[in-house]
Amino acid sequence: MGSQVETLIRNAVTKGIETVASVSRAVNPGPADHPFLSGIHTPMTQELEITDLAVTGTIPAALDGRYLRIGPNPVKPDPAGYHWFIGDGMVHGLRISQGRAHWYKNRWIRSTAVARALGDEPAPGPRHSFDTVNTNVMGIGERTFALVEAGSYPVELTDDLEGQAYNPFDGTLRGSFTAHPHLDPLTGENHAICYEGTDPGTVRHVVVDRHGKVTRELPIPVRHGPMIHDCAITARYAIILDLPVTFSMKAMLAGQHFPYRWNPEHQARIGLLPREGSAEDVIWCDVPAAFAFHVANAYDAADGSVVLDLCVYDRMFAEVRGGPDARSRGLERWTINPATRTVTVRTIDAAPQEFPRSDERFFGQPYRYAFCMALPAEPSKGFYFETKLYRHDLEAGTRQVHEFGPGRHPGEFVFVPAHTDAAEGEGWLIGLVIDLTRETTELVIIDAMNFEDEAVASVRIPHRVPPGFHGNWIAEEASK
């Protein structure tokens, strides 16, 4: 890529969303009823604090902590060129202990643009590239961070969600981070594959130690600027998903705020990076053209192959819809042979589904259970949500369904073990469910071993929390 093109990209991304907004308004005005700004996606307009929320059923006494989830919630929605993935970040949180839901809060991440719109001060701390953060929120090194990929530094949050600051892991992170670091429960390290919107020729393997400090930031050459949303690890490898959604200069110049598109000229491949190896040690294995946002898990098999379970699409962002635009082909198992550099694809379940989670005490290791959110058979006008969750028993080859009922739409659910020594899958699934008919939301707690039964408890939030991306449970002892 020529230096002039790289300069165009760097200038556009560094200036952030505002750089293309004015072009967007002139070139691609868009409808007032944008599918990702209306209906179920209509943004909230206030920051709230609600205490002593109503509980149905019994919250397990062992649950002492915070459920946090983040997603896009634009302060001043502009449908021109808007894409769901780039809206201003808003964190939602509930504090639970002793069988009670003590509070619910929602807070915008105070980026420069959000602070200006609210007449507030932006969050302190250094910026890197852009500063919109909207994709994940999790505990790293006994602290809480909101995350996004492709540019911004993480944002550290206080336990009560009242304080926030941009923090590159106390100055140890040089480049961008990711929305999906993965904790190795055996070492305490978080592993990430990161990319910069301003550097289409490089991705980086970043390792954050158990104290929240970056110990490795390895550059790896790639082509075309691939969007790499997630990654995986095994005992031997960090796994790179180099798939055919790449940076699009055409989309950027057309005023699209999210300038990534399906690129049939980009060879889909999986990279196996030895966890302490160099870029030259990556074992690249071609796969048929496909795309995946999220992995369920991965592990080293006894025969030397690598097993990777993920939710897959034939393509993604081939059209301009403001959000995901392709039918899911379900949960698949890709078995990677490092010796022959080949990948075998097997369908675990062809039903459309997304947001796979596992019992993450077994991440990077052989495992049995995966939990997924069902998707509609076809994507339609921003309605990316069904009314059920799936529980896959990968050992037995079976699937169970938890049905929430008409008009009740779950997002991603996270698994929380019942206790430190609980067997795999013994615990609860926790997540938000929108009741679209009543315009309310519930935090729902399901017994993962009695998956098809009614929820053991639900906490009523008296308004609709717009659909978001990722959330996690942060136990009280983990935040100290």
Side-chain angles (χ1 to χ4, degrees):
M1 181 173 291
S3 59
Q4 289 183 328
V5 174
E6 290 190 11
T7 300
L8 275 172
I9 295 171
R10 182 172 298 277
N11 289 342
V13 178
T14 300
K15 292 179 182 178
I17 294 168
E18 292 178 307
T19 303
V20 293
S22 59
V23 178
S24 173
R25 283 187 284 272
V27 178
N28 185 26
D33 59 344
H34 192 291
F36 287 90
L37 292 172
S38 58
I40 196 171
H41 292 279
T42 302
M44 289 184 66
T45 58
Q46 294 178 295
E47 294 182 323
L48 304 172
E49 179 173 358
I50 305 171
T51 57
D52 291 321
L53 293 95
V55 176
T56 300
T58 302
I59 296 175
L63 291 177
D64 181 6
R66 294 167 294 140
Y67 173 80
L68 303 177
R69 205 222 57 199
I70 194 170
N73 195 101
V75 177
K76 293 185 175 180
D78 178 1
Y82 180 77
H83 193 285
W84 190 30
F85 286 11
I86 55 83
D88 302 316
M90 177 177 278
V91 179
H92 303 263
L94 292 98
R95 175 69 173 98
I96 291 174
S97 70
Q98 299 176 330
R100 294 174 53 203
H102 298 281
W103 51 255
Y104 159 87
K105 297 181 184 182
N106 64 305
R107 297 291 184 267
W108 271 290
I109 298 295
R110 280 340 193 246
S111 67
T112 304
V114 166
R116 183 187 306 117
L118 297 177
D120 202 353
E121 290 295 319
R127 271 34 177 197
H128 180 77
S129 192
F130 58 84
D131 66 352
T132 296
V133 174
N134 67 7
T135 313
N136 203 350
V137 57
M138 61 188 298
I140 300 175
E142 299 183 348
R143 293 180 288 178
T144 304
F145 290 92
L147 306 174
V148 73
E149 66 204 58
S152 179
Y153 285 146
V155 175
E156 184 177 355
L157 306 174
T158 58
D159 288 357
D160 61 4
L161 301 186
E162 299 300 338
Q164 50 184 261
Y166 288 80
N167 183 352
F169 299 119
D170 301 331
T172 61
L173 178 70
R174 296 191 301 275
S176 63
F177 200 51
T178 179
H180 279 289
H182 284 294
L183 176 68
D184 183 340
L186 302 180
T187 67
E189 297 172 329
N190 273 279
H191 289 255
I193 300 298
C194 307
Y195 68 102
E196 298 262 9
T198 57
D199 183 3
T202 308
V203 300
R204 296 168 4 265
H205 177 221
V206 177
V207 179
V208 184
D209 68 17
R210 64 174 65 247
H211 305 295
K213 303 294 192 295
V214 174
T215 60
R216 175 175 163 95
E217 202 161 352
L218 175 74
I220 300 163
V222 293
R223 299 179 64 227
H224 302 144
M227 172 188 167
I228 301 179
H229 184 65
D230 201 358
C231 68
I233 57 172
T234 72
R236 292 185 294 165
Y237 300 110
I239 301 178
I240 306 167
L241 280 64
D242 184 4
L243 303 175
V245 170
T246 65
F247 181 84
S248 168
M249 178 63 72
K250 180 180 179 181
M252 187 189 76
L253 294 178
Q256 297 299 314
H257 296 184
F258 178 76
Y260 288 86
R261 293 290 180 269
W262 180 253
N263 179 2
E265 302 303 316
H266 185 82
Q267 173 62 54
R269 59 181 186 167
I270 298 296
L272 302 179
L273 168 66
R275 292 199 4 183
E276 296 184 0
S278 67
E280 293 75 20
D281 297 324
V282 177
I283 302 168
W284 292 108
C285 306
D286 289 352
V287 294
F291 186 75
F293 288 112
H294 301 115
V295 303
N297 202 354
Y299 60 89
D300 297 313
D303 64 1
S305 64
V306 173
V307 174
L308 174 66
D309 294 343
L310 65 176
C311 290
V312 182
Y313 303 81
D314 282 328
R315 61 181 187 171
M316 182 56 63
F317 304 137
E319 302 177 25
V320 181
R321 291 192 180 182
D325 63 353
R327 184 185 188 278
S328 162
R329 71 188 200 198
L331 181 65
E332 296 184 353
R333 172 159 290 182
W334 293 6
T335 302
I336 307 157
N337 186 326
T340 61
R341 298 180 182 243
T342 57
V343 180
T344 303
V345 176
R346 176 174 71 84
T347 298
I348 295 173
D349 180 20
Q353 55 200 287
E354 250 300 350
F355 294 125
R357 299 295 293 256
S358 61
D359 182 339
E360 290 169 8
R361 296 173 300 161
F362 295 86
F363 203 80
Q365 309 162 57
Y367 75 119
R368 181 171 181 174
Y369 300 109
F371 309 96
C372 298
M373 182 190 87
L375 293 181
E378 298 293 339
S380 175
K381 295 183 179 179
F383 205 80
Y384 194 56
F385 301 90
E386 254 284 357
T387 62
K388 51 186 177 279
L389 300 176
Y390 297 139
R391 174 185 183 264
H392 298 283
D393 184 333
L394 301 171
E395 185 176 295
T398 59
R399 184 190 75 184
Q400 291 182 305
V401 179
H402 186 97
E403 175 64 62
F404 291 93
R408 290 168 53 79
H409 303 286
E412 176 191 60
F413 269 56
V414 60
F415 177 83
V416 181
H419 52 86
T420 303
D421 299 321
E424 182 187 354
E426 179 189 351
W428 303 282
L429 291 161
I430 303 179
L432 295 178
V433 177
I434 298 169
D435 189 321
L436 195 54
T437 303
R438 295 179 175 84
E439 285 284 306
T440 59
T441 310
E442 294 176 16
L443 179 74
V444 177
I445 303 170
I446 299 169
D447 182 342
M449 298 302 282
N450 295 286
F451 183 74
E452 294 179 324
D453 293 353
E454 291 187 6
V456 299
S458 63
V459 178
R460 185 176 184 275
I461 302 170
H463 57 269
R464 178 185 43 77
V465 173
F469 299 137
H470 299 291
N472 286 283
W473 174 259
I474 300 178
E476 179 64 14
E477 63 271 14
S479 65
K480 300 301 183 184

